[in-house]
Amino acid sequence: GRFNPPAKAVVDGEYKTYGGTWNVGRVAKGGGEAWVAIDVGVGPRRLLLLWSAAGSYNYNETDYGSPGSYRIETSADSGNGADGTWTVVATVEHVSAHAAERAFDFNGQRWVRFVVTGVPPVSPNGVQIDEIDLHDVSAGGEDTWFFMGDSITAFAFDRQTPTHQPSFAALVHERHAGHFPAIINGGIGGDKSDEGLERLDAWLTDCPDMKHWALAYGTNDAAGNVRDPSHFKHNMQTMVDHLRKAGRIPVLAKIPFATDHQHDHLPRFNDAIDEINAANSLTPGPDLYAWFWAHPEELRDGLHPTDRGIVSINRLWADAMSPLYPR
């Protein structure tokens, strides 16, 4: 990369490491461009690129680390990432989240270059990208996952190294050689199923290559000891319908147990999830209620998971999704 190393931080396999980011903010702020080039090698005919700027907590925040705009280029003849002929395969003029994906043709190519062309209007620390993942999707991109949910999701799938590892992706890879799921963490603190439904269609447009959509709502719907899950159930079923119409695969997890005495009727909401799974013949997500009921010490405030609880959530997701992968 040019201007401000360490560019190698984007491919070190370490997520959400504040000292291990590719920091190019001030250059981009000055009207210039900054880039990092990755020597993929020859072979893949199509690639999926995901970038992550984990300085922002909520998925829809761009303040801490996201580029404001970027493009992706490929080259067949570059020798060092700077020379050679380059073809623009994707241009994004407006970034609205702290992680995103783009798939593109890579037939006969060798290099990928990620070019930051601008920063968001509010960007106190500039662009700080902690990881760029490249996935070979030549044979299709089924092993792609978007996790939608509230603060519990935002914590659980940030893949912070080392405290929140092994992640869902790392565990799947460990158990099923040749697979390493592509993941976007779409958690937003405070969200209910209302907000999930409001956001879903825009996110489906923004993330066209994410096949599996994990829906992890309900904690905030049930807050304040709400008893009736009917509105929640309607929202979740509507999201399932939208996802299926868009050719995606919805996966619903049971809502985690809480000890804060503000979620006493969670079993009613989890019954609604069971009913949706059964009525739509869905592969169920993990039973997070049973786990945290048995392991309340993995809740740091009676509601949100500790670091150990986050690792447990990722393991339970890997356990629940194991039937989708070859033995």
Side-chain angles (χ1 to χ4, degrees):
R2 192 157 51 111
F3 298 129
N4 196 359
K8 66 185 182 208
V10 299
V11 291
D12 63 4
E14 296 188 357
Y15 301 84
K16 200 178 179 183
T17 48
Y18 295 109
T21 61
W22 177 47
N23 188 338
V24 297
R26 289 181 176 81
V27 172
K29 276 185 178 178
E33 295 182 345
W35 55 262
V36 60
I38 301 168
D39 185 357
V40 177
V42 177
R45 300 182 306 281
R46 188 168 178 82
L47 286 181
L48 173 67
L49 181 149
L50 296 94
W51 61 265
S52 171
S56 292
Y57 168 73
N58 290 318
Y59 175 64
N60 61 346
E61 291 175 353
T62 60
D63 298 18
Y64 291 98
S66 297
S69 57
Y70 63 91
R71 68 177 181 269
I72 301 169
E73 305 170 337
T74 63
S75 176
D77 60 3
S78 181
N80 58 11
D83 62 4
T85 305
W86 292 83
T87 301
V88 176
V89 293
T91 301
V92 178
E93 297 292 349
H94 175 69
V95 174
S96 59
H98 67 44
E101 56 93 347
R102 282 295 181 273
F104 47 88
D105 179 67
F106 199 67
N107 198 30
Q109 305 298 296
R110 175 173 173 174
W111 288 80
V112 172
R113 192 157 66 183
F114 186 87
V115 185
V116 176
T117 57
V119 296
V122 178
S123 184
N125 300 329
V127 178
Q128 295 177 313
I129 293 176
D130 64 301
E131 202 68 15
I132 293 176
D133 286 347
L134 290 169
H135 296 260
D136 182 354
V137 291
S138 305
E142 295 291 305
D143 199 8
T144 49
W145 295 79
F146 191 107
F147 286 89
M148 288 183 68
D150 50 35
S151 56
I152 296 171
T153 296
F155 283 121
F157 297 101
D158 67 6
R159 293 182 281 179
Q160 182 171 303
T161 306
T163 49
H164 299 165
Q165 292 283 348
S167 66
F168 169 71
L171 288 165
V172 169
H173 181 63
E174 186 181 295
R175 299 172 184 183
H176 309 278
H179 291 268
F180 192 92
I183 290 176
I184 289 181
N185 178 358
I188 297 179
D191 269 13
K192 303 185 296 295
S193 61
D194 290 328
E195 286 77 24
L197 181 55
E198 287 172 9
R199 304 184 197 282
L200 179 59
D201 288 341
W203 289 358
L204 283 168
T205 300
D206 290 344
C207 300
D209 306 294
M210 297 289 103
K211 186 71 172 180
H212 296 85
W213 288 66
L215 305 180
Y217 293 102
T219 294
N220 295 313
D221 294 77
N225 290 324
V226 171
R227 295 178 62 91
D228 182 3
S230 57
H231 180 70
F232 166 76
K233 185 179 181 181
H234 170 79
N235 285 344
M236 298 297 281
Q237 180 61 56
T238 305
M239 280 191 267
V240 168
D241 294 341
H242 282 225
L243 286 161
R244 287 190 144 172
K245 185 177 180 182
R248 318 299 175 86
I249 300 170
V251 187
L252 280 63
K254 286 199 184 182
I255 308 157
F257 173 74
T259 62
D260 64 352
H261 304 297
Q262 293 297 309
H263 296 81
D264 292 348
H265 305 295
L266 281 175
R268 296 170 180 257
F269 287 76
N270 281 327
D271 286 345
I273 290 172
D274 283 341
E275 290 162 9
I276 292 171
N277 281 332
N280 298 274
S281 301
L282 302 180
T283 299
D287 186 348
L288 303 180
Y289 186 92
W291 177 265
F292 286 101
W293 185 86
H295 301 87
E297 73 280 0
E298 294 190 9
L299 297 171
R300 61 177 168 83
D301 55 5
L303 187 67
H304 298 94
T306 62
D307 289 341
R308 186 173 174 181
I310 285 168
V311 173
S312 294
I313 289 173
N314 280 267
R315 185 185 69 254
L316 292 163
W317 267 99
D319 290 347
M321 296 300 100
S322 191
L324 302 182
Y325 294 91
R327 295 291 178 187

